[in-house]
Protein backbone atom coordinates (compact mmCIF):
# COMPACT_ATOMS: atom_id res chain seq x y z
CA UNK A 1 0.00 0.00 0.00
CA UNK A 2 1.07 3.52 -0.71
CA UNK A 3 1.31 5.94 2.23
CA UNK A 4 -2.11 7.31 3.15
CA UNK A 5 -4.09 4.51 1.50
CA UNK A 6 -6.72 2.60 3.54
CA UNK A 7 -7.04 -1.17 3.00
CA UNK A 8 -10.19 -2.17 1.11
CA UNK A 9 -11.19 -4.57 3.92
CA UNK A 10 -11.24 -1.74 6.45
CA UNK A 11 -13.42 0.35 4.14
CA UNK A 12 -15.91 -2.51 3.73
CA UNK A 13 -15.99 -3.16 7.48
CA UNK A 14 -16.56 0.51 8.22
CA UNK A 15 -19.41 0.72 5.69
CA UNK A 16 -21.05 -2.36 7.22
CA UNK A 17 -20.70 -0.88 10.71
CA UNK A 18 -22.33 2.37 9.58
CA UNK A 19 -25.14 0.45 7.86
CA UNK A 20 -25.74 -1.55 11.04
CA UNK A 21 -25.77 1.63 13.11
CA UNK A 22 -28.36 3.22 10.81
CA UNK A 23 -30.52 0.09 10.92
CA UNK A 24 -30.39 0.05 14.72
CA UNK A 25 -31.34 3.72 14.95
CA UNK A 26 -34.36 3.47 12.61
CA UNK A 27 -36.75 2.23 15.34
CA UNK A 28 -35.61 5.05 17.63
CA UNK A 29 -36.21 7.63 14.87
CA UNK A 30 -39.66 6.14 14.20
CA UNK A 31 -40.55 6.21 17.92
CA UNK A 32 -39.37 9.81 18.22
CA UNK A 33 -41.46 10.81 15.21
CA UNK A 34 -44.55 9.10 16.63
CA UNK A 35 -44.03 10.80 20.00
CA UNK A 36 -43.81 14.22 18.31
CA UNK A 37 -46.99 13.55 16.32
CA UNK A 38 -48.77 12.33 19.44
CA UNK A 39 -47.70 15.44 21.37
CA UNK A 40 -48.81 17.75 18.55
CA UNK A 41 -52.21 16.06 18.30
CA UNK A 42 -52.66 16.17 22.08
CA UNK A 43 -51.66 19.83 22.23
CA UNK A 44 -54.05 20.71 19.40
CA UNK A 45 -56.89 18.93 21.17
CA UNK A 46 -56.14 20.58 24.51
CA UNK A 47 -55.86 23.97 22.81
CA UNK A 48 -59.43 23.56 21.57
CA UNK A 49 -60.63 22.48 25.02
CA UNK A 50 -58.97 25.53 26.59
CA UNK A 51 -60.66 27.81 24.04
CA UNK A 52 -64.05 26.44 25.14
CA UNK A 53 -63.59 27.26 28.84
CA UNK A 54 -61.04 30.10 29.10
CA UNK A 55 -63.61 32.91 29.30
CA UNK A 56 -65.58 31.20 32.05
CA UNK A 57 -62.40 30.25 33.90
CA UNK A 58 -61.12 33.84 33.74
CA UNK A 59 -64.37 35.21 35.21
CA UNK A 60 -64.32 32.70 38.05
CA UNK A 61 -60.64 33.52 38.65
CA UNK A 62 -61.54 37.20 39.01
CA UNK A 63 -64.23 36.34 41.55
CA UNK A 64 -61.70 34.28 43.48
CA UNK A 65 -58.93 36.85 43.46
CA UNK A 66 -61.37 39.61 44.43
CA UNK A 67 -62.64 37.58 47.36
CA UNK A 68 -59.22 36.38 48.54
CA UNK A 69 -57.58 39.82 48.24
CA UNK A 70 -60.39 41.66 50.00
CA UNK A 71 -58.60 41.96 53.36
CA UNK A 72 -55.03 41.53 52.06
CA UNK A 73 -52.43 44.27 51.88
CA UNK A 74 -50.74 45.16 48.58
CA UNK A 75 -47.83 42.74 49.01
CA UNK A 76 -50.11 39.86 49.94
CA UNK A 77 -52.31 40.59 46.94
CA UNK A 78 -49.29 40.42 44.63
CA UNK A 79 -48.22 37.10 46.19
CA UNK A 80 -51.74 35.80 45.65
CA UNK A 81 -51.39 36.25 41.89
CA UNK A 82 -48.36 33.94 41.86
CA UNK A 83 -50.39 30.97 43.10
CA UNK A 84 -53.91 31.79 41.87
CA UNK A 85 -53.60 29.32 38.97
CA UNK A 86 -51.76 26.62 40.97
CA UNK A 87 -54.22 23.91 42.12
CA UNK A 88 -51.61 22.46 44.49
CA UNK A 89 -51.64 25.74 46.48
CA UNK A 90 -54.43 26.81 48.80
CA UNK A 91 -55.03 29.97 46.73
CA UNK A 92 -55.54 27.88 43.60
CA UNK A 93 -57.66 25.09 45.07
CA UNK A 94 -60.75 26.66 43.46
CA UNK A 95 -59.53 25.14 40.18
CA UNK A 96 -60.07 21.62 41.52
CA UNK A 97 -63.73 22.46 42.26
CA UNK A 98 -64.44 23.04 38.57
CA UNK A 99 -65.91 20.17 36.59
CA UNK A 100 -65.99 20.42 32.79
CA UNK A 101 -69.29 19.24 31.35
CA UNK A 102 -70.91 19.03 27.91
CA UNK A 103 -74.65 18.96 27.27
CA UNK A 104 -74.34 17.04 23.99
CA UNK A 105 -71.86 16.10 21.26
CA UNK A 106 -71.97 19.43 19.46
CA UNK A 107 -72.31 21.70 22.49
CA UNK A 108 -69.70 23.99 23.99
CA UNK A 109 -67.83 22.83 27.06
CA UNK A 110 -69.01 24.56 30.23
CA UNK A 111 -68.08 24.47 33.92
CA UNK A 112 -69.95 23.25 36.97
CA UNK A 113 -68.74 24.25 40.42
CA UNK A 114 -68.43 21.61 43.10
CA UNK A 115 -68.59 22.47 46.79
CA UNK A 116 -65.57 20.44 47.84
CA UNK A 117 -61.93 20.25 46.77
CA UNK A 118 -61.36 17.73 44.00
CA UNK A 119 -58.43 15.74 42.71
CA UNK A 120 -56.48 17.51 39.98
CA UNK A 121 -56.55 15.27 36.93
CA UNK A 122 -57.05 15.85 33.19
CA UNK A 123 -59.88 18.40 33.35
CA UNK A 124 -58.26 20.25 36.25
CA UNK A 125 -55.08 20.68 34.20
CA UNK A 126 -57.13 22.10 31.32
CA UNK A 127 -58.71 24.78 33.54
CA UNK A 128 -55.30 25.44 35.12
CA UNK A 129 -53.82 26.22 31.69
CA UNK A 130 -56.88 28.28 30.78
CA UNK A 131 -56.34 30.31 33.96
CA UNK A 132 -52.65 30.89 33.23
CA UNK A 133 -53.33 31.88 29.61
CA UNK A 134 -56.13 34.28 30.51
CA UNK A 135 -53.88 36.12 32.99
CA UNK A 136 -50.77 36.19 30.80
CA UNK A 137 -49.48 39.77 30.38
CA UNK A 138 -52.34 40.97 32.57
CA UNK A 139 -50.52 40.64 35.89
CA UNK A 140 -49.43 44.28 36.15
CA UNK A 141 -52.89 45.61 35.29
CA UNK A 142 -54.45 43.19 37.76
CA UNK A 143 -52.07 44.30 40.52
CA UNK A 144 -53.11 47.93 40.02
CA UNK A 145 -56.79 47.01 40.03
CA UNK A 146 -56.41 45.03 43.25
CA UNK A 147 -54.58 47.98 44.85
CA UNK A 148 -57.65 50.08 44.03
CA UNK A 149 -59.92 47.39 45.52
CA UNK A 150 -61.70 47.09 42.18
CA UNK A 151 -64.89 45.03 42.11
CA UNK A 152 -65.10 41.58 40.53
CA UNK A 153 -67.25 43.07 37.75
CA UNK A 154 -64.53 45.57 36.84
CA UNK A 155 -61.92 42.81 36.92
CA UNK A 156 -64.11 40.83 34.51
CA UNK A 157 -64.26 43.73 32.07
CA UNK A 158 -60.61 44.75 32.13
CA UNK A 159 -58.78 41.45 32.65
CA UNK A 160 -61.02 38.94 30.85
CA UNK A 161 -61.63 41.05 27.76
CA UNK A 162 -59.10 39.08 25.67
CA UNK A 163 -60.12 35.67 27.02
CA UNK A 164 -63.78 36.39 26.25
CA UNK A 165 -63.26 38.16 22.91
CA UNK A 166 -63.87 35.07 20.75
CA UNK A 167 -67.52 34.06 20.63
CA UNK A 168 -66.88 31.16 18.27
CA UNK A 169 -64.89 28.20 19.55
CA UNK A 170 -63.20 25.44 17.54
CA UNK A 171 -65.08 22.24 16.87
CA UNK A 172 -64.28 19.60 19.45
CA UNK A 173 -64.59 15.94 18.48
CA UNK A 174 -64.04 12.90 20.62
CA UNK A 175 -64.49 14.64 23.97
CA UNK A 176 -64.63 12.14 26.82
CA UNK A 177 -66.03 13.41 30.09
CA UNK A 178 -63.96 12.77 33.20
CA UNK A 179 -65.84 12.05 36.41
CA UNK A 180 -65.08 14.66 39.06
CA UNK A 181 -63.61 13.04 42.20
CA UNK A 182 -63.40 14.62 45.64
CA UNK A 183 -59.96 14.87 47.22
CA UNK A 184 -60.60 13.37 50.65
CA UNK A 185 -57.04 14.22 51.74
CA UNK A 186 -57.35 17.93 50.97
CA UNK A 187 -57.77 19.15 54.58
CA UNK A 188 -54.88 17.04 55.81
CA UNK A 189 -52.70 18.26 52.94
CA UNK A 190 -53.49 21.88 53.87
CA UNK A 191 -52.52 21.20 57.46
CA UNK A 192 -49.28 19.47 56.51
CA UNK A 193 -48.48 22.18 53.97
CA UNK A 194 -48.88 24.81 56.70
CA UNK A 195 -46.33 23.00 58.87
CA UNK A 196 -43.58 23.53 56.29
CA UNK A 197 -43.89 27.30 56.72
CA UNK A 198 -43.46 27.24 60.51
CA UNK A 199 -40.15 28.31 62.12
CA UNK A 200 -37.80 25.36 62.43
CA UNK A 201 -39.72 23.32 59.86
CA UNK A 202 -38.17 24.83 56.72
CA UNK A 203 -35.99 21.81 55.96
CA UNK A 204 -38.48 19.17 57.09
CA UNK A 205 -40.00 17.16 54.25
CA UNK A 206 -43.70 16.64 54.85
CA UNK A 207 -45.26 13.57 53.21
CA UNK A 208 -48.95 13.94 52.50
CA UNK A 209 -51.45 11.06 52.63
CA UNK A 210 -51.42 8.96 49.50
CA UNK A 211 -47.78 9.72 48.73
CA UNK A 212 -46.28 7.31 51.25
CA UNK A 213 -43.95 4.83 49.58
CA UNK A 214 -45.07 1.23 49.60
CA UNK A 215 -43.07 -1.05 51.86
Amino acid sequence: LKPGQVPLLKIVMRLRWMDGLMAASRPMILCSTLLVWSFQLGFASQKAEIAHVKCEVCKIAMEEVSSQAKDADEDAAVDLLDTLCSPSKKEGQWLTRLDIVRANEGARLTLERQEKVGKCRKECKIVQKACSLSLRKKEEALEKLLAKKASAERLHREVCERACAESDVPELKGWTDEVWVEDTDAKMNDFLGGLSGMPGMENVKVISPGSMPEL
Side-chain angles (χ1 to χ4, degrees):
L1 293 173
K2 296 180 180 180
Q5 285 186 326
V6 180
L8 180 60
L9 180 60
K10 284 188 176 181
I11 294 175
V12 172
M13 291 178 65
R14 185 172 298 175
L15 288 173
R16 286 182 177 176
W17 177 81
M18 291 178 66
D19 186 57
L21 183 63
M22 289 296 293
S25 64
R26 285 189 193 109
M28 296 177 62
I29 295 172
L30 179 60
C31 288
S32 298
T33 303
L34 290 174
L35 282 172
V36 171
W37 287 346
S38 176
F39 174 79
Q40 289 175 339
L41 288 172
F43 177 76
S45 174
Q46 196 171 69
K47 191 175 181 181
E49 293 159 359
I50 291 170
H52 277 241
V53 300
K54 65 180 180 181
C55 176
E56 198 172 356
V57 169
C58 184
K59 289 182 177 180
I60 297 174
M62 293 305 98
E63 293 173 14
E64 286 291 331
V65 75
S66 177
S67 174
Q68 294 187 40
K70 186 179 295 183
D71 299 321
D73 57 29
E74 189 172 344
D75 291 337
V78 171
D79 291 340
L80 169 61
L81 297 182
D82 292 334
T83 52
L84 183 66
C85 296
S86 300
S88 60
K89 303 295 184 181
K90 187 175 182 180
E91 296 80 5
Q93 278 186 347
W94 61 275
L95 291 163
T96 71
R97 294 187 173 94
L98 300 180
D99 182 24
I100 300 178
V101 296
R102 195 179 199 183
N104 55 63
E105 182 65 26
R108 180 173 184 155
L109 298 181
T110 57
L111 301 175
E112 283 186 359
R113 298 196 210 191
Q114 304 294 329
E115 294 183 2
K116 297 181 180 180
V117 175
K119 291 186 177 181
C120 192
R121 301 187 294 166
K122 184 190 76 172
E123 292 186 3
C124 170
K125 288 178 171 57
I126 291 172
V127 295
Q128 178 187 10
K129 289 182 180 179
C131 179
S132 298
L133 287 172
S134 63
L135 298 187
R136 183 177 293 176
K137 297 182 180 180
K138 292 285 187 177
E139 295 88 350
E140 186 175 347
L142 186 51
E143 288 176 14
K144 292 179 180 178
L145 288 168
L146 291 177
K148 297 176 182 178
K149 301 295 182 181
S151 65
E153 289 76 13
R154 184 178 177 186
L155 297 180
H156 289 173
R157 291 195 308 271
E158 300 193 24
V159 178
C160 298
E161 179 184 5
R162 180 183 59 195
C164 299
E166 300 175 5
S167 57
D168 295 329
V169 293
E171 185 180 359
L172 187 61
K173 294 182 179 179
W175 167 259
T176 302
D177 184 55
E178 180 183 66
V179 178
W180 182 88
V181 178
E182 180 188 354
D183 185 359
T184 55
D185 296 327
K187 290 183 179 180
M188 181 59 71
N189 289 337
D190 287 343
F191 171 73
L192 294 175
L195 290 179
S196 61
M198 294 177 62
M201 298 286 286
E202 294 85 356
N203 298 320
V204 176
K205 184 177 181 180
V206 178
I207 300 177
S208 60
S211 61
M212 290 286 290
E214 294 185 5
L215 301 177

